[in-house]
Amino acid sequence: RTSTKSHGINQGSDIHMGKVYTVTEAIENGRGKVKVGDTSWLVEGQDCPIGSHVQVIGTEGSLLKVKLVLTNH
């Protein structure tokens, strides 16, 4: 029963784990934003410009922790 109880905690942001999003507000001083559907989410990670791709590696409440993803063009 204990595992069932904790299963729903932070489920809203946990669904983003592993997903890749495009930065819509440059990550500066470790903070920026990505767009998910019609909502902007605050992210924490390595500084990078708008248009960069980041992958969600963790969550803290509504904050998504991300790492920069290098894309092959």
Side-chain angles (χ1 to χ4, degrees), residues 31-61:
R31 295 284 174 108
K33 291 187 178 177
V34 296
K35 189 150 189 163
V36 179
D38 61 355
T39 306
S40 287
W41 283 72
L42 182 63
V43 296
E44 179 179 85
Q46 177 184 346
D47 288 5
C48 59
I50 292 171
S52 299
H53 294 96
V54 292
Q55 181 177 31
V56 179
I57 58 170
T59 62
E60 189 175 296

